[in-house]
Amino acid sequence: MRTRTRGRNRKGSAIILVMIMTASLAALAMSAIYLTNASGLLLRYFARERDYRYAAEAALALGKSRVNRDTLLGLPDDTAKTIMSGASLTDASGATIPNVRVNLYGANTGDTVGRFGQYVTLLAQAYDAGGTRMVRRLDLIAESFSRYAMFTNTFPSGLAYGNGEFIRGRAHSNQRWNSSGSPGPHYYDTVSAVTTVGGTATYDRGYIAGAATIPFPTVAKLASLPTYAAGGNTDFTVVFGSAANSLSGGKSMSGRLDTTTNAVRGTRLSFRPVDVAGDGTLGEEDGMMMLFDIASGIDTSAIRVDLPRSTGTTQGWITYLNQCGLLATINGRREFFPMARFREPWVVNRLHTLATAPTFTWPGDSTAMVAGNNAAYSKIMSYGSGFSRCFPVGSPYLMLTERYVVNAAGSCTVTTSTAVTPAAWGGGSPGATCGRYGGQDTTFTATVTRCWITQTVFPGTGVCTGNQVNLGAWRAWGGPAMPAIPASVIQAVQVPYLWPLFKPYNISSKGIVHSSRGPLYLSDTLRGNVTLYVNTGGGQGDVTLIDDTVYDMDPAANGALCRNFLGVIAEQDVMIAD
C-alpha cells in the first residue's frame, strides 16, 4: 500500500500578500504625487526668486545711474539715504512686475574721506505682502582725479607744452591741448582733450581728440575738505598783507628791487619726511610738513628766490647775495656758502683746501670769487647744477646769512634782536669759537634774520653795517607733542616745528591739508598720500612751486608706484616760480 503525504495548511497568506502589494503601490503613487508637487513648487520658487532678483538688481542699476548722473543726490557719510521706497518696477516688455515692491538705500562707506577713493554702497530690497524678501548689494568706487598727472579745466590758446617738458602720466583737458617746438614735449601716457590736440610731440600711448568732458569739481563739492583738515590739525591760514620794506644799513632787506614798493607777505609749505623711529625706513607715518611765515616788511620774492634780470641797484641784489651761492662737499657733507660771505678769507680757505666737489684752484678760482663784483658773483654761480644754486628763505642751508650772534669777543650767543648790530655766524670777533663751516641740512634756525654785510671791503669780517631785521620764522605744530626722535635723525630744536601728516603722530589725520587763502609756496619731499587745497572764494588761491617738489622714492621704481600721491587743488593757479 502506498502512503500519501498531505501538505500543511496556509490559511490567509494570499490575502496578506495582496494587501502588502496594494499598500506598496499606493505609497508609490503618493510619492509620485508628492514629487510632482515638490517639483512644481521648486519651479515656482525659482521663478519667483528670479523675479525678485531681477527686481532687486534692476533697483541697483537705477541707483547706480542716479549716483553717476544726479549731482544733487547727496549720499551721507554717517547713515543710509532712502533712494526708493515701495516702488514698482517694470519688466523688459514694459509691464509692471506684479506683487513685487522695492526699497533702495545708498551711503558713502569705507573711506568716507575719499583719501583712497570715494566708495558708495547701494542696498536693494525686493519684497511682497506675504513676507518674501530678496536683498542685493552693490559696492561702487568712483574714478579719482588722482589718476591724472595733469588735469585742466581750461587751456588758453596761447599756452603750450614745449621742448624738454614731459608728463609721466595720464593727461586731460576740458578744452584744447597744445604742444610746440621740435621735437616738442614727451607724453608717457595718453593725452585727451574735448576739442583738439595740436602741435608736435612724442606720444607713447597716443592721444584722443573729441573726448567727453569730465566735470570739474565745484567748490561746493570740496566744502568738506577744510573740515577734514581742521580735524587733523592741518588747517591753517597763510600770513598776508603788505608793509614798507625792512632796511638794514640803509639797504632794503625785503628782496624787492627797490625801497619804494611795499613788501608782500606769504607762507611757505615744506614737505619733509623724518624717520621718527630711527629704523632706517620711511613709513607713511614719517611724512611731515613745515610752515615758514615771512615777516612783515619782507617780500615773497625771498621765498620764490626770483632773481633780478639786470644788475640794478644794491637793493636789487639782496636776494641774490644772501640766498644764492655754492654748495660744496666737505668731509662727506654738503655745505652751502652764500655769495655775501665770500669776501671773508675763512670762506675761500675752507673751500679751496677742503672741498672735494667741486674743486678749486689757488689763486685762480679763489681770487676771482672774493672780488665782490659782478664778475665774482658770475664765477660763484658758474659751477653748474648741483653746485651753484639758490635756496628759499628759511632753509637750513642759509645759516651763514640767516643766523647772527652778538658781536663780542668769545660770545656765540645767537640773537634775533633788531636793535643790535650783530655778526653773521662764523664772522666777527667770536667767529672762530662759533665754528666756521657752511650751512647744512641740519643747521636749522627757528627764527631767521638778515642784515647788510658789506661787499666793498676785503678781507671782510662778516659784521653787519646796520641792525639786523626779522626775515620770518617757522610755525610751531599745535597738536600733540611728537615722541623723542634720535639726534642722529634730526636736531631736537627742529622737532616742535614738524607737522605730522598721518597716524599715529596725528591720530585725527585724514590726509587733507588746507589753507583758507593763498598765495602758498610749495617745495621739497613728500612721503604719503596728501591732498592740498587752497581756497578763499576771493581770488587769493594761488599755489606756487618754488623748488623741486618730489616724492621720497621714484614712483617708477619697483614697489613705489602707489607709495606717494600729492593732489594740489587751487582756487586760482598752480604755478612754477622763475
Side-chain angles (χ1 to χ4, degrees):
M1 293 182 63
R2 297 181 180 175
T3 302
R4 175 183 247 176
T5 303
R6 297 181 61 185
R8 188 186 313 170
N9 293 331
R10 300 179 182 176
K11 298 178 181 179
S13 61
I15 296 175
I16 294 172
L17 179 60
V18 170
M19 291 179 64
I20 292 173
M21 292 182 66
T22 303
S24 298
L25 290 172
L28 287 173
M30 292 297 296
S31 297
I33 294 171
Y34 280 118
L35 287 172
T36 301
N37 288 339
S39 177
L41 287 172
L42 286 173
L43 289 174
R44 288 191 295 274
Y45 171 80
F46 284 118
R48 194 68 174 152
E49 181 188 31
R50 179 195 60 204
D51 291 342
Y52 278 77
R53 184 189 301 113
Y54 171 84
E57 292 179 351
L60 290 177
L62 291 171
K64 181 178 178 181
S65 178
R66 288 281 306 276
V67 169
N68 286 333
R69 298 181 178 276
D70 187 353
T71 58
L72 300 178
L73 183 58
L75 296 179
D77 295 338
D78 55 355
T79 187
K81 177 174 182 175
T82 301
I83 302 174
M84 300 170 64
S85 178
S88 298
L89 296 174
T90 58
D91 60 19
S93 64
T96 300
I97 301 175
N99 304 320
V100 179
R101 299 282 183 169
V102 292
N103 296 325
L104 179 64
Y105 309 95
N108 289 310
T109 56
D111 175 26
T112 56
V113 175
R115 182 179 168 207
F116 298 105
Q118 187 68 44
Y119 295 84
V120 167
T121 292
L122 297 175
L123 194 67
Q125 178 192 48
Y127 66 96
D128 64 10
T132 305
R133 297 287 187 270
M134 169 65 72
V135 176
R136 303 289 284 175
R137 170 176 170 162
L138 178 65
D139 292 314
L140 304 171
I141 179 170
E143 284 193 346
S144 173
F145 280 96
S146 65
R147 69 178 294 215
Y148 294 97
M150 172 64 183
F151 185 101
T152 179
N153 201 39
T154 59
F155 203 118
S157 58
L159 182 68
Y161 277 85
N163 286 332
E165 296 184 312
F166 59 88
I167 298 179
R168 290 185 178 270
R170 186 74 167 81
H172 177 83
S173 168
N174 276 338
Q175 291 184 343
R176 64 188 62 80
W177 190 281
N178 294 331
S179 302
S180 64
S182 179
H186 188 170
Y187 302 122
Y188 290 80
D189 206 335
T190 305
V191 174
S192 58
V194 172
T195 57
T196 59
V197 178
T200 302
T202 299
Y203 298 93
D204 285 2
R205 297 192 177 182
Y207 63 86
I208 301 170
T213 299
I214 300 175
F216 201 69
T218 63
V219 172
K221 282 281 189 179
L222 302 173
S224 59
L225 295 184
T227 302
Y228 294 146
N233 293 306
T234 51
D235 181 66
F236 62 92
T237 300
V238 303
V239 296
F240 58 93
S242 62
N245 297 351
S246 294
L247 304 178
S248 172
K251 310 296 185 183
S252 172
M253 297 291 105
S254 70
R256 298 194 69 90
L257 296 181
D258 54 58
T259 58
T260 60
T261 306
N262 285 345
V264 179
R265 299 183 73 189
T267 294
R268 169 192 174 194
L269 190 157
S270 170
F271 288 117
R272 163 129 194 212
V274 176
D275 181 12
V276 177
D279 57 7
T281 61
L282 290 175
E284 187 177 58
E285 71 278 2
D286 295 323
M288 311 281 172
M289 74 176 190
M290 300 177 66
L291 295 176
F292 183 86
D293 300 320
I294 58 174
S296 178
I298 304 300
D299 193 72
T300 55
S301 57
I303 295 180
R304 300 190 308 270
V305 201
D306 289 335
L307 301 182
R309 296 187 178 278
S310 61
T311 55
T313 63
T314 306
Q315 291 92 333
W317 285 91
I318 195 66
T319 298
Y320 199 45
L321 289 173
N322 285 268
Q323 295 176 230
C324 301
L326 200 58
L327 186 63
T329 300
I330 297 176
N331 297 326
R333 294 214 22 118
R334 303 275 272 172
E335 297 185 17
F336 185 73
F337 299 87
M339 289 190 291
R341 302 297 301 274
F342 271 79
R343 302 231 72 190
E344 299 165 52
W346 77 267
V347 172
V348 290
N349 286 341
R350 183 170 180 81
L351 285 169
H352 92 262
T353 58
L354 297 178
T356 56
T359 57
F360 304 90
T361 62
W362 182 269
D365 290 340
S366 300
T367 301
M369 291 188 292
V370 302
N373 55 26
N374 291 352
Y377 306 142
S378 296
K379 177 65 178 177
I380 295 169
M381 298 302 290
S382 69
Y383 286 89
S385 178
F387 300 116
S388 300
R389 65 156 298 164
C390 307
F391 287 97
V393 64
S395 168
Y397 283 104
L398 296 178
M399 177 189 68
L400 291 184
T401 49
E402 294 188 357
R403 181 188 294 180
Y404 293 84
V405 297
V406 175
N407 186 26
S411 173
C412 290
T413 304
V414 176
T415 176
T416 58
S417 172
T418 59
V420 299
T421 301
W425 183 269
S429 299
T433 57
C434 289
R436 288 180 163 174
Y437 48 84
Q440 302 171 38
D441 59 354
T442 57
T443 50
F444 175 78
T445 307
T447 300
V448 297
T449 55
R450 179 183 287 172
C451 72
W452 176 251
I453 302 174
T454 179
Q455 297 295 295
T456 59
V457 178
F458 183 80
T461 63
V463 176
C464 298
T465 59
N467 293 351
Q468 65 179 337
V469 299
N470 184 16
L471 273 180
W474 292 97
R475 194 184 302 190
W477 159 247
M482 292 287 294
I485 305 176
S488 59
V489 174
I490 193 172
Q491 291 180 314
V493 68
Q494 190 171 357
V495 173
Y497 303 94
L498 298 176
W499 292 49
L501 296 171
F502 308 106
K503 300 175 178 65
Y505 312 122
N506 186 348
I507 199 66
S508 301
S509 169
K510 293 179 174 61
I512 308 297
V513 177
H514 173 254
S515 175
S516 59
R517 61 165 290 145
L520 183 68
Y521 301 91
L522 185 67
S523 66
D524 301 318
T525 303
L526 173 72
R527 173 66 182 100
N529 295 266
V530 169
T531 295
L532 171 63
Y533 179 38
V534 179
N535 174 64
T536 66
Q540 296 293 329
D542 289 334
V543 175
T544 302
L545 279 69
I546 57 171
D547 204 347
D548 290 343
T549 305
V550 300
Y551 295 152
D552 82 303
M553 288 181 63
D554 185 343
N558 290 335
L561 179 62
C562 298
R563 179 180 175 87
N564 304 296
F565 278 105
L566 173 63
V568 180
I569 305 172
E571 180 194 13
Q572 297 299 115
D573 297 312
V574 179
M575 303 176 290
I576 300 175
D578 185 6

